[in-house]
Amino acid sequence: MGALRAGALAFLLLLLLGCLLPWRGPLRLVSGREEIKAASRSSPPPMSPSDFLDKLMGRTSRYDARIRPNFKGPPVNVTCNIFINSFSSVTETTMDYRVNVFLRQQWNDPRLAYREYPDDSLDLDPSMLDSIWKPDLFFANEKGANFHEVTTDNKLLRIFKNGNVLYSIRLTLVLSCPMDLKNFPMDIQTCTMQLESFGYTMNDLMFEWLEEQEAVQVAEGLTLPQFILRDEKDLGYCTKYYNTGKFTCIEVKFHLERQMGYYLIQMYIPSLLIVILSWVSFWINMDAAPARVGLGITTVLTMTTQSAGSRASLPKVSYVKAIDIWMAVCLLFVFAALLEYAAVNFVSRQHKEFMRLRRRQRRQRMEEELVRESRFYLRGYGLGHCLQPKDGAGEGPGIYSPPATSMLLQEGESLRRRYIDRAKRIDTISRAVFPFTFLVFNIFYWVVYKVLRSEDIHSVP
């Protein structure tokens, strides 16, 4: 009986296994589908850009724009570079210049690093700038500035996957530029742009330039009306020390070389021609007083007007400029030409004064001899008392009339010729001395200001 029961139990087990084996595949398929459905229920749906930004810096995030990155830690390093879009309006009277730039700042904010979004960087709307921390940069030598809002705010905000932030903004700035005008208009001016932190000390914020080749870029084809913007631009630091702390500051120096073509045409050449025009009087007859005086006064007044015009567009500085020396010497030359005719006219009339003095002396001698002879004859006849003149009575016109002798006329003619020759000699000497002196001044002037001083300026670092 026991053997039968064991055989029956084994048969039943074999039958059961034979029935279950054909359904193993469908059971596995059903279990796989259930696992996929369970996995899909456990994985979250893809995040929308709006939800991602809210999680990164919005309402659902723990980001606080009032706190700088690495708070209580190392200072934030902000890398700056600028792109000069236009450079214009260099004004000497107010000593400033206008520039249009793209200011770019880049720093790392670990709180903005992300992995949930597939893109390596995000270009965000400028309105998001209020939601993140930004450096408090300002221009230390700024006199006026404005943003650009046409057609929208000219601002760029880009966030990278590793937390780097790029902030770019377009600005028009009026910056102070103290100028040394001693060599004007052959000068080279150095204008600076200083970028400084207003509220964060160097313990919290540090500014630095991008690589030297890319720190300051200039738009292609940029030109200035009176200057040439030289390629070399000095980058450096200008750390500021105040009683509130030590603040980071970086600067760039622009070297502007003035082009003097305008001043040659408007000032130097006209004044040169006026000086040459004043020399024409040396070839005009000395007897033509109205012509020579009129020419001299006209050149002096014209030179005065020209000198005043050269100073109209310049500040009232206490030192002497190169253009002042030129104008002063030109005015001196035209005024000397006018005085030269005064000297010629005076010398040419000296013979008349000399002859008048000779006639007066000759008349006095002859009157004294006549009176002496009259007294001698009258005393011989006892009529000496008749020589005493009465009150109010003088010698009548018939007493003496000095004769005009031929000797006196010859002497007067010789004197006249002598002094006229002297006057003509002054004109002849002036024809050579004035141009030669002015030529020497020109050589000295242009060598000093265009060669010597220019080398000194270029050698200054």
Side-chain angles (χ1 to χ4, degrees):
M1 289 293 292
L4 289 174
R5 286 180 180 177
L9 182 61
F11 177 78
L12 289 175
L13 288 173
L14 291 174
L15 182 63
L16 180 63
L17 288 174
C19 293
L20 291 175
L21 282 175
W23 298 98
R24 184 178 300 176
L27 287 175
R28 287 182 178 177
L29 181 61
V30 171
S31 63
R33 289 176 180 174
E34 291 177 353
E35 288 177 0
I36 292 173
K37 290 181 181 179
S40 63
R41 292 193 202 100
S42 62
S43 62
M47 187 178 299
S48 66
S50 299
D51 296 337
F52 171 71
L53 291 178
D54 288 339
K55 181 182 177 181
L56 187 65
M57 64 183 76
R59 296 182 299 272
T60 60
S61 69
R62 300 179 61 184
Y63 189 91
D64 192 345
R66 298 171 298 177
I67 301 176
R68 72 171 180 88
N70 307 323
F71 185 67
K72 295 296 183 179
V76 181
N77 291 322
V78 180
T79 304
C80 302
N81 73 304
I82 59 175
F83 179 86
I84 301 176
N85 195 33
S86 67
F87 202 119
S88 60
S89 300
V90 182
T91 309
E92 290 82 10
T93 52
T94 54
M95 291 197 177
D96 55 31
Y97 67 99
R98 180 183 293 270
V99 62
N100 184 280
V101 299
F102 298 153
L103 172 63
R104 298 162 183 161
Q105 306 173 69
Q106 190 168 355
W107 66 94
N108 182 267
D109 192 341
R111 298 171 295 177
L112 297 178
Y114 63 88
R115 295 180 180 177
E116 297 85 353
Y117 208 73
D119 295 342
D120 293 335
S121 64
L122 295 172
D123 291 335
L124 304 180
D125 189 83
S127 59
M128 298 296 295
L129 285 167
D130 297 332
S131 303
I132 66 171
W133 177 89
K134 301 181 296 296
D136 59 343
L137 182 146
F138 78 102
F139 293 88
N141 59 331
E142 173 255 329
K143 299 173 69 175
N146 62 281
F147 299 99
H148 292 268
E149 301 176 352
V150 179
T151 58
T152 59
D153 290 344
N154 296 171
K155 298 178 182 178
L156 168 68
L157 176 60
R158 182 177 298 165
I159 298 177
F160 295 88
K161 212 165 189 176
N162 58 354
N164 286 345
V165 182
L166 173 63
Y167 173 38
S168 178
I169 185 172
R170 183 185 175 205
L171 299 169
T172 296
L173 306 168
V174 179
L175 302 175
S176 174
C177 178
M179 301 181 186
D180 185 2
L181 300 173
K182 291 179 182 178
N183 294 334
F184 180 89
M186 293 162 281
D187 53 335
I188 297 177
Q189 300 299 334
T190 300
C191 295
T192 62
M193 177 188 292
Q194 295 183 343
L195 289 69
E196 183 181 347
S197 171
F198 187 81
Y200 290 103
T201 63
M202 295 187 68
N203 296 326
D204 298 320
L205 186 64
M206 292 283 292
F207 287 150
E208 60 184 13
W209 288 110
L210 199 62
E211 291 81 1
E212 187 171 353
Q213 292 77 11
E214 301 179 359
V216 179
Q217 299 172 322
V218 180
E220 187 177 356
L222 178 64
T223 58
L224 283 76
Q226 294 186 25
F227 293 89
I228 292 179
L229 181 60
R230 295 168 64 178
D231 294 334
E232 59 269 17
K233 301 167 186 64
D234 300 333
L235 305 176
Y237 294 89
C238 52
T239 304
K240 301 296 180 67
Y241 297 87
Y242 305 107
N243 55 5
T244 53
K246 182 170 67 171
F247 295 85
T248 181
C249 177
I250 56 177
E251 67 177 0
V252 55
K253 295 181 179 180
F254 304 103
H255 301 285
L256 304 173
E257 185 174 356
R258 192 185 303 274
Q259 298 299 292
M260 61 175 304
Y262 169 82
Y263 299 96
L264 275 176
I265 297 172
Q266 297 294 328
M267 296 182 184
Y268 281 95
I269 294 178
S271 57
L272 174 66
L273 295 178
I274 292 170
V275 172
I276 295 175
L277 180 63
S278 67
W279 301 339
V280 176
S281 65
F282 303 152
W283 279 266
I284 299 177
N285 194 337
M286 69 181 68
D287 296 330
R292 295 189 66 163
V293 173
L295 180 61
I297 292 177
T298 301
T299 53
V300 168
L301 294 179
T302 305
M303 199 63 240
T304 304
T305 305
Q306 189 82 5
S307 178
S310 67
R311 296 189 299 269
S313 60
L314 297 175
K316 298 177 177 61
V317 294
S318 58
Y319 50 82
V320 178
K321 303 178 288 293
I323 191 70
D324 295 335
I325 295 177
W326 174 269
M327 290 296 176
V329 172
C330 289
L331 181 60
L332 178 63
F333 267 89
V334 296
F335 189 71
L338 180 61
L339 293 181
E340 187 271 348
Y341 176 66
V344 168
N345 187 268
F346 175 77
V347 172
S348 65
R349 290 185 293 104
Q350 278 296 97
H351 73 280
K352 297 180 181 179
E353 297 293 333
F354 189 77
M355 288 302 300
R356 192 177 296 112
L357 179 62
R358 289 299 257 321
R359 289 193 189 99
R360 189 180 302 115
Q361 293 176 349
R362 193 181 187 89
R363 186 184 302 116
Q364 289 177 355
R365 284 199 305 268
M366 295 186 70
E367 288 177 354
E368 291 175 357
E369 291 177 1
L370 183 60
V371 170
R372 233 183 356 257
E373 292 176 359
S374 301
R375 285 180 178 175
F376 175 76
Y377 288 112
L378 292 174
R379 283 196 184 113
Y381 293 97
L383 299 175
H385 63 279
C386 295
L387 295 175
Q388 302 298 327
K390 298 180 180 179
D391 294 339
E395 294 181 322
I399 295 178
Y400 172 70
S401 178
T405 62
S406 59
M407 185 181 298
L408 188 62
L409 292 175
Q410 291 178 357
E411 184 180 2
E413 183 64 21
S414 63
L415 284 174
R416 188 183 71 83
R417 291 178 179 176
R418 185 188 309 168
Y419 282 101
I420 289 178
D421 289 341
R422 288 181 182 178
K424 290 181 178 180
R425 192 177 301 114
I426 294 176
D427 272 344
T428 303
I429 295 174
S430 299
R431 293 171 190 172
V433 171
F434 273 71
F436 178 76
T437 308
F438 193 66
L439 177 63
V440 171
F441 163 73
N442 269 267
I443 295 174
F444 179 77
Y445 180 86
W446 295 110
V447 167
V448 169
Y449 283 102
K450 289 298 289 183
V451 179
L452 300 181
R453 296 244 176 139
S454 180
E455 291 178 355
D456 293 342
I457 293 174
H458 283 82
S459 63
V460 174

